[in-house]
Amino acid sequence: MINYKVILVAVDGSEVADKAFQKAVGLAKQNEAKLIIGHVVDTSSFSLIEPYDSGIWERSQENAEALLKDYAKKAKDHGLASVETSVKNGSPKRVIVKDIASAYEVDLIVIGATGIGAAERFLLGSVSESITRYASCDVYVVR
């Protein structure tokens, strides 16, 4: 059995992310691991919106910080002693693997399965699919 030391769970506030969070908390408790709760503000559409809404960057960052604060409290309420959060901007497909996971030397990424349909997945590709393909550590996809 593998003993994970640092587990990253990527969250976005969705129902499937909540399920992934619950699984990650259980795994962190079982392994006595540090839990990193990560969120990536997907900035790909901001350039289109920013001319009409100059405060979008600040509100997105504030919302992300509030989301992670709530998840961190839940993790600690479940008995986890070592919990950290990380908010980054960019493409979740790249940032989760290249920035967050590598910065914390993560040995397991827990992520929810995609909620997009087949057509969108064909055109865009899913975040969970990309992470499983490019991560250098184990990946647990929660459905």
Side-chain angles (χ1 to χ4, degrees):
M1 178 177 199
I2 297 173
N3 186 19
Y4 297 110
K5 293 182 172 87
V6 183
I7 298 172
L8 166 63
V9 60
V11 297
D12 61 7
S14 67
E15 184 178 326
V16 72
D18 288 342
K19 290 178 182 177
F21 171 77
Q22 293 300 325
K23 181 59 77 173
V25 167
L27 289 167
K29 285 176 76 171
Q30 178 182 333
N31 287 274
E32 298 179 359
K34 175 187 283 190
L35 181 66
I36 309 300
I37 308 168
H39 176 77
V40 179
V41 177
D42 189 349
T43 57
S44 61
S45 61
F46 280 17
S47 61
L48 301 173
I49 299 168
E50 192 172 27
Y52 305 102
D53 185 357
S54 61
I56 192 165
W57 288 94
E58 293 81 18
R59 282 195 315 280
S60 295
Q61 193 70 27
E62 289 169 3
N63 290 340
E65 294 288 346
L67 177 74
L68 292 186
K69 184 178 180 181
D70 183 49
Y71 275 115
K73 182 183 181 319
K74 289 177 186 175
K76 290 176 182 175
D77 288 349
H78 279 89
L80 292 183
S82 185
V83 178
E84 292 187 38
T85 61
S86 178
V87 175
K88 300 287 184 189
N89 296 319
S91 167
K93 293 178 187 181
R94 187 190 72 72
V95 172
I96 291 168
V97 172
K98 297 290 184 194
D99 296 346
I100 302 174
S102 64
Y104 288 95
E105 298 180 5
V106 167
D107 47 18
L108 176 66
I109 299 172
V110 180
I111 188 162
T114 181
I116 62 177
E120 286 178 289
R121 194 167 40 254
F122 174 74
L123 293 172
L124 304 173
S126 76
V127 172
S128 56
E129 180 183 0
S130 180
I131 289 171
T132 57
R133 182 174 292 141
Y134 296 109
S136 61
C137 63
D138 290 350
V139 178
Y140 190 120
V141 180
V142 178
R143 298 210 171 270

